[in-house]
């Protein structure tokens, strides 16, 4: 064993790459953590905002809360008889419940369930053509989605009322739910048309004689709050789509009686309503009827005037803006008597609601399309991995396959080490058992825990310890390459152990003179813990299937730092291991591709590495990996327009890496959120089956990867839990990295805490 202490590191260490003395390391780490916290928060807030948008969209579409009638034949013993036998307009003036009837030969034309972007504008056009006012009872969620229609409706002189926010049967709801349904609808009206209203119609209501003991308390509560509840005298039953003639007949009152008549401008296919409405208006006018609003009916009762003395439009205008209307307490200014101008907090909250809904209305469909594309890409990736991994396995394991003459010459194994006292002995002893001739170059990067002394004390043959001032892993690797005596160099981590045949398998592809680097098969050694088992599944499935695929496509993006082999001259020609990024392994791999070298995967060369043992360490490692990969891709973006081998990687490898390692994982949490959204708001069974189907495909891929690597299938039992917990964390890490990159953040290399529990490979089956 020899020891070398160079006078200076291989290159001047940058302030970002240099590791500091222990006392300063903690302070630097604390400052780095403080800088990263806002970015973590920003990433979480982004995901939370998108989740909120989805939830809002589901709520707006009445897919939450239950859009069904739940009352069936209840008693009406608590309802006063004069209410049950009274008119269609229920008020609580002076605390006393009273009803108002529509005068003879007068129609209060009412519409429920709107606004609808298809049918409501057609209804408004008909009403304007015939100079007839209508009273529209609007669903708040629809108002917030189509505010322009409501604004046009009010400006045209029509009247609006509350029909709840989600079209829910209020009979069995709590007081809080009732209040929320009303207030949210009022906010939607304020945001859409700048008004609030005192009119209310309950979903699934009909005549006053249908009020029962469950619904009566709701009307009493709303009456105390100043609302006028509106029922019907005559129902067109247009929602049944019985035919135009029947709709007209059913909406016609008997014996010239006045009536509150119900049509629907939304809630289904309303073409028959659109066709019947002009015929109905013409018929009723021919019979001498006039049309008015609900406020018009109430004003006629108060003033003692008959609605038939004026046309419906003139009555509405006088009631809203004339002296008579002002005398009855209307605010004037062109508003219907039931309308009040929204001001202050109500107006601003309403506009905020409409704005939020507009965002949801744009975002959710866009997300749906985007997630569909991502879903297809993910499934396509699984299919491509299975096909190409199988082809790779069959090609490399057939009897006639050969890289060329066996590579038997000695190679140099470089072990960069910084404070690896727990692991260095196991690492070096595993190398000493190699069946291939090697020299071992341990580059001690200014360790303070006696790592170099431990390496020297082992007395192993062919081991050299090279000491350098603390300069970072890239500098240590470059120092090792310069001190290597052989043409092929193997790079590994100080916490990794090799099997005896690992180096021999790893260097055989160099028999092909076009091969510049070889990626080995990194495996998790500490897989007995839950976190370790999750990473084991990830390593076997993701990393190894990916590398088989990339190998066949000749665009391998990364040689793992735990096990990789390089032609020494190729590394030197590429400028060595760069400190420009935090992923020096990805950086050098892409650089070799661009230089025309082939990079291959050797699955039989296995290395056992110690994976992070805590969630905090795992987050730190994967954050560095993700951010470093983005740095490397950005650094080599010029390959997109290059010619030759560099251009081939840029136009084949780089898009695949960006799509599969950045874009689809970034959007993957949204797929999960969308799945939960579908389970809650759309179709639980269908969404669950879809999720199980995707999980089944992943299990199939994982099982095939385990078969290729001859791993034990029992670990796959943890895969469902991995999908629910571990995978989400990895997505958040990637989102965090993207936020850091977009905000121009800089990330320091961080040392992970090691335990040395990965011993000889024989103990890790």
């Amino acid at each position: 064993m020899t020891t070398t202490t160079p006078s200076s590191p291989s290159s001047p260490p940058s302030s970002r790459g240099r590791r500091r003395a222990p006392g300063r390391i903690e302070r630097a780490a604390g400052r780095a953590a403080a800088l990263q916290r806002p970015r973590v928060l920003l990433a979480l807030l982004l995901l939370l905002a998108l989740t909120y948008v989805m939830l809002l969209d589901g709520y707006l579409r009445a897919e939450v809360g239950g859009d069904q009638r739940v009352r069936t034949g209840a008693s009406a013993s608590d309802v006063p008889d004069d209410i049950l036998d009274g008119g269609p307009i229920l008020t609580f003036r002076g605390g006393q419940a009273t009803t108002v009837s529509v005068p003879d030969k007068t129609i209060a034309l009412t519409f429920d369930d709107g606004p609808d972007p298809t049918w409501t504008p057609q209804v408004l056009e008909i009403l304007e053509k015939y100079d007839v006012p209508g009273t529209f009872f609007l669903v708040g969620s629809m108002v917030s989605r189509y505010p322009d229609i409501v604004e046009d409706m009010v400006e045209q002189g029509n009247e609006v009322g509350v029909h709840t926010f989600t079209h829910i049967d209020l009979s069995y709801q709590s007081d809080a739910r009732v209040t929320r349904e009303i207030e949210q609808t009022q906010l939607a009206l304020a945001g859409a048309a700048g008004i609030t209203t005192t009119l209310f119609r309950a979903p699934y209501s009909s005549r006053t004689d249908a009020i029962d003991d469950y619904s009566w308390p709701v009307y009493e509560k709303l009456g105390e709050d100043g609302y006028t509840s509106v029922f019907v005298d005559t129902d067109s039953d247009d929602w049944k789509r019985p035919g135009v003639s029947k709709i007209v007949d059913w909406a016609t009152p008997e014996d010239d009686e006045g009536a509150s008549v119900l049509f629907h401008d939304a809630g289904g296919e309303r073409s028959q309503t659109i066709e019947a409405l002009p015929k109905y208006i013409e018929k009723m006018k021919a019979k001498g009827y006039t049309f008015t609003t609900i406020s018009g009916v109430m004003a006629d009762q108060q003033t003692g005037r008959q609605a038939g003395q004026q046309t419906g439009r003139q009555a509405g205008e006088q009631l809203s803006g004339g002296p008579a209307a002002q005398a009855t307490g209307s605010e004037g200014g062109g508003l219907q008597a039931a309308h009040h101008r929204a001001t202050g907090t109500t107006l601003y909250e309403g506009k905020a609601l409409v704005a939020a809904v507009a965002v949801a209305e744009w975002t959710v469909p866009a997300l749906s399309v985007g997630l569909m594309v991502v879903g297809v890409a993910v499934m396509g990736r699984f299919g491509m991995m299975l096909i190409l991994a199988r082809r790779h396995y069959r090609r490399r394991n057939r009897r006639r396959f050969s890289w060329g003459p066996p590579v038997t010459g000695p190679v140099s194994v470089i072990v960069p080490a910084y404070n690896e006292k727990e692991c260095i002995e196991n690492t070096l002893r595993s190398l000493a058992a190699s069946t291939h001739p090697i020299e071992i170059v341990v580059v001690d990067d200014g360790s303070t825990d006696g790592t170099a002394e431990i390496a020297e004390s082992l007395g192993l043959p062919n081991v050299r310890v090279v000491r350098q001032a603390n300069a970072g892993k890239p500098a240590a690797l470059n120092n090792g390459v310069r001190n290597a005596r052989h043409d092929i160099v193997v790079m590994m981590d100080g916490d990794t152990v090799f099997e005896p045949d690992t180096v021999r398998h790893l260097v055989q592809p160099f028999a092909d003179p076009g091969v510049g680097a070889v990626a080995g098969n990194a495996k998790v050694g500490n897989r007995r813990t839950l976190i370790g088992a999750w990473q084991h599944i990830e390593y076997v499935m993701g990393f190894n299937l990916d590398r088989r695929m990339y190998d066949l496509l000749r665009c391998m993006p990364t040689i793992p730092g735990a096990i990789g082999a390089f032609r020494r001259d190729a590394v030197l020609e590429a400028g060595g291991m760069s400190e420009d990024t935090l992923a020096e392994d990805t950086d050098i791999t892409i650089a070799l591709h661009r230089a025309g070298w082939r990079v291959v995967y050797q699955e039989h060369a296995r290395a056992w590495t110690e994976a992070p043992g805590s969630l905090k360490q795992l987050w730190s490692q994967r954050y560095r990996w993700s951010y470093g990969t983005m740095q490397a891709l950005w650094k080599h973006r010029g390959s997109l327009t290059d010619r030759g081998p560099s251009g081939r990687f840029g136009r084949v490898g780089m898009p695949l890496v960006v799509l599969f390692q950045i874009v689809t994982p970034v959007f993957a949490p949204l797929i999960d959120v969308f799945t939960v959204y579908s389970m809650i708001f759309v179709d639980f069974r269908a969404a669950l089956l879809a999720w199980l189907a995707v999980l089944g495909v992943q299990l199939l891929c994982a099982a095939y990867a385990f078969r290729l690597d001859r791993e034990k299938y029992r670990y796959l039992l943890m895969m469902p839990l991995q999908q629910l917990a571990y995978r989400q964390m990895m997505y958040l890490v990637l989102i965090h990295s993207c936020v850091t990159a977009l905000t121009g953040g800089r990330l320091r290399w961080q040392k992970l805490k090691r335990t040395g529990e990965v011993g000889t490979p024989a103990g890790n089956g």
Side-chain angles (χ1 to χ4, degrees):
M1 175 183 295
T2 59
T3 301
T4 304
T5 306
S7 58
S8 63
S10 60
S11 60
S14 66
S15 60
R16 178 167 52 84
R18 185 185 298 115
R19 302 189 189 99
R20 308 177 189 277
R24 300 174 65 186
I25 289 176
E26 285 76 6
R27 292 194 297 271
R31 288 193 296 270
L35 290 173
Q36 295 305 324
R37 288 190 195 102
R39 297 190 180 99
V40 175
L41 182 61
L42 181 59
L44 292 175
L45 287 176
L46 177 62
L47 186 59
L48 181 63
L50 290 171
T51 303
Y52 168 77
V53 166
M54 284 183 162
L55 293 175
L56 176 61
D57 185 74
Y59 186 60
L60 293 172
R61 296 175 187 277
E63 293 161 348
V64 61
D67 184 20
Q68 300 89 24
R69 185 173 186 176
V70 296
R71 288 184 276 127
T72 53
S75 169
S77 59
D78 294 339
V79 186
D81 291 339
D82 58 342
I83 300 300
L84 294 173
D85 298 331
I89 303 172
L90 174 61
T91 66
F92 286 79
R93 293 174 181 172
Q96 181 67 36
T98 59
T99 63
V100 177
S101 297
V102 181
D104 290 343
K105 289 226 171 187
T106 303
I107 296 294
L109 202 56
T110 68
F111 299 86
D112 278 6
D113 296 348
D116 180 274
T118 300
W119 310 114
T120 304
Q122 296 183 59
V123 170
L124 293 176
E125 184 178 349
I126 294 170
L127 296 182
E128 186 174 31
K129 175 182 177 181
Y130 287 94
D131 195 28
V132 169
T135 302
F136 292 80
F137 291 92
L138 306 176
V139 178
S141 60
M142 301 293 286
V143 173
S144 61
R145 292 170 63 192
Y146 307 110
D148 293 342
I149 298 177
V150 178
E151 185 177 19
D152 292 342
M153 182 185 296
V154 172
E155 289 180 353
Q156 187 175 308
N158 298 289
E159 196 165 52
V160 300
V162 172
H163 200 46
T164 74
F165 195 81
T166 59
H167 201 271
I168 189 173
D169 190 339
L170 296 178
S171 301
Y172 292 95
Q173 304 302 323
S174 66
D175 287 347
R177 178 65 185 268
V178 173
T179 300
R180 187 167 67 250
E181 289 283 332
I182 303 301
E183 289 181 349
Q184 288 175 342
T185 305
Q186 294 282 28
L187 286 178
L189 289 172
I195 64 165
T196 59
T197 181
T198 59
L199 299 183
F200 167 77
R201 174 179 279 164
Y204 313 107
S205 64
S206 56
R207 299 174 181 267
T208 53
D209 59 12
I211 300 174
D212 57 34
D213 292 344
Y214 288 101
S215 59
W216 178 243
V218 175
Y219 297 119
E220 285 187 306
K221 177 184 184 304
L222 294 177
E224 293 172 359
D225 293 337
Y227 285 93
T228 297
S229 296
V230 182
F231 297 84
V232 300
D233 290 308
T234 304
D235 191 344
S236 69
D237 279 338
D238 58 341
W239 61 274
K240 295 179 181 179
R241 304 187 70 229
V244 173
S245 60
K246 287 187 177 181
I247 291 175
V248 173
D249 290 341
W250 291 349
T252 303
E254 297 179 356
D255 302 324
D256 292 337
E257 293 178 347
S260 168
V261 182
L262 174 61
F263 286 86
H264 293 81
D265 64 318
E269 207 276 343
R270 297 289 176 250
S271 60
Q272 290 186 5
T273 302
I274 300 302
E275 187 176 351
L277 189 57
K279 298 180 183 299
Y280 176 74
I281 294 173
E282 291 173 358
K283 174 182 177 181
M284 301 314 294
K285 283 190 173 185
K287 294 179 62 140
Y289 274 81
T290 58
F291 292 85
T292 187
T293 61
I294 296 299
S295 292
V297 173
M298 297 175 67
D300 280 341
Q301 185 212 44
Q302 291 173 356
T303 61
R305 293 178 302 169
Q306 293 299 318
Q309 296 174 355
Q310 305 178 57
T311 65
R313 179 67 62 186
Q314 292 170 336
E317 292 174 355
Q318 183 172 351
L319 288 169
S320 64
Q326 295 176 18
T328 61
S330 173
E331 296 182 1
L335 295 179
Q336 289 285 351
H339 297 172
H340 300 279
R341 293 195 185 280
T343 58
T345 303
T346 301
L347 179 61
Y348 292 118
E349 287 183 354
K351 290 186 178 297
L353 173 62
V354 171
V357 172
V359 173
E361 285 289 291
W362 177 86
T363 302
V364 172
L367 280 177
S368 300
V369 174
L371 295 182
M372 185 178 298
V373 173
V374 171
V376 170
V378 170
M379 299 304 291
R381 178 195 182 193
F382 286 145
M384 187 162 60
M385 282 196 305
L386 284 175
I387 294 172
L388 295 183
R390 176 174 175 79
R391 183 177 299 176
H392 181 277
Y393 177 81
R394 296 183 66 178
R395 179 180 298 180
R396 295 291 170 81
N397 289 275
R398 61 189 180 190
R399 293 182 180 180
R400 292 179 295 176
F401 175 78
S402 174
W403 293 103
V407 177
T408 58
V411 301
S412 299
V413 179
I414 302 171
V415 185
Y418 173 72
N419 289 346
E420 299 283 4
K421 68 176 182 180
E422 295 87 357
C423 308
I424 194 65
E425 180 175 353
N426 289 336
T427 298
L428 296 181
R429 290 193 183 279
S430 73
L431 291 174
S434 175
T435 59
H436 192 90
I438 62 173
E439 70 155 347
I440 305 169
V441 182
V442 179
V443 183
D444 182 74
D445 188 35
S447 298
T448 59
D449 66 347
T451 296
E453 288 74 13
I454 294 174
E456 292 171 339
S457 67
L458 296 176
L460 297 174
N462 300 321
V463 174
R464 285 188 292 142
V465 176
V466 177
R467 300 173 185 265
Q468 69 174 34
N470 180 240
K473 184 178 179 181
L477 290 172
N478 288 333
N479 207 350
V481 171
R482 276 203 324 275
N483 281 275
R485 295 169 177 167
H486 304 296
D487 294 334
I488 297 175
V489 293
V490 175
M491 298 181 186
M492 65 183 300
D493 289 334
D495 60 353
T496 302
V497 296
F498 280 8
E499 295 178 357
D501 289 337
T502 294
V503 176
R504 179 174 62 85
H505 286 302
L506 188 62
V507 299
Q508 294 311 308
F510 289 109
D512 183 341
V515 172
V518 182
N521 188 348
K523 309 187 78 61
V524 175
N526 54 330
R527 61 180 69 171
R528 293 184 177 88
T529 65
L530 182 62
I531 297 177
W534 284 342
Q535 293 176 82
H536 170 53
I537 296 172
E538 181 184 33
Y539 270 59
V540 175
M541 177 187 173
F543 296 164
N544 292 340
L545 282 185
D546 269 350
R547 289 196 175 99
R548 294 176 192 272
M549 175 182 70
Y550 286 128
D551 188 349
L552 282 187
L553 296 176
R554 296 200 173 191
C555 57
M556 182 87 63
T558 303
I559 295 178
I563 176 170
F566 303 83
R567 292 191 188 274
R568 182 172 179 271
D569 290 343
V571 173
L572 293 176
E573 289 172 4
M577 311 300 285
S578 173
E579 295 184 2
D580 293 340
T581 74
L582 292 172
E584 72 285 338
D585 45 7
T586 301
D587 194 347
I588 188 65
T589 305
I590 297 177
L592 293 179
H593 277 295
R594 299 186 69 183
W597 292 102
R598 186 180 172 194
V599 180
V600 301
Y601 174 59
Q602 175 56 285
E603 68 269 28
H604 301 299
R606 291 184 288 268
W608 300 81
T609 188
E610 181 176 339
S614 70
L615 293 177
K616 181 178 180 181
Q617 291 183 347
L618 180 63
W619 183 289
S620 177
Q621 182 196 67
R622 297 310 172 83
Y623 182 35
R624 179 172 56 88
W625 286 5
S626 299
Y627 188 57
T629 298
M630 294 178 195
Q631 288 178 311
L633 293 175
W634 182 253
K635 175 181 176 180
H636 294 283
R637 63 190 182 278
S639 62
L640 290 169
T641 57
D642 284 348
R643 297 182 178 180
S646 179
R648 186 183 188 283
F649 178 83
R651 289 183 287 276
V652 177
M654 191 169 290
L656 288 176
V657 175
V658 171
L659 178 62
F660 292 152
Q661 295 187 24
I662 298 178
V663 175
T664 52
V666 163
F667 282 94
L670 301 182
I671 295 179
D672 294 332
V673 171
F674 206 79
T675 300
V676 175
Y677 164 87
S678 300
M679 287 181 177
I680 297 174
F681 302 137
V682 184
D683 188 329
F684 176 84
R685 182 178 179 183
L688 179 61
L689 289 176
W691 184 82
L692 291 175
V694 174
L695 177 62
V697 172
Q698 291 176 310
L699 277 170
L700 176 65
C701 292
Y704 186 65
F706 271 58
R707 178 187 174 188
L708 295 183
D709 267 20
R710 298 181 181 179
E711 291 285 352
K712 296 180 179 179
Y713 293 111
R714 67 170 183 263
Y715 291 101
L716 295 180
L717 295 175
M718 301 181 187
M719 193 167 181
L721 185 59
Q722 183 205 42
Q723 298 299 300
L724 293 173
Y726 177 83
R727 190 180 65 164
Q728 315 308 320
M729 178 180 174
M730 295 300 99
Y731 294 155
L732 291 176
V733 169
L734 183 58
I735 293 173
H736 185 190
S737 301
C738 290
V739 171
T740 301
L742 292 174
T743 56
R746 297 176 69 87
L747 182 64
R748 294 179 54 82
W749 190 94
Q750 298 177 6
K751 167 71 177 171
L752 297 180
K753 183 180 179 181
R754 302 300 185 184
T755 64
E757 60 182 297
V758 179
T760 58
N764 288 288

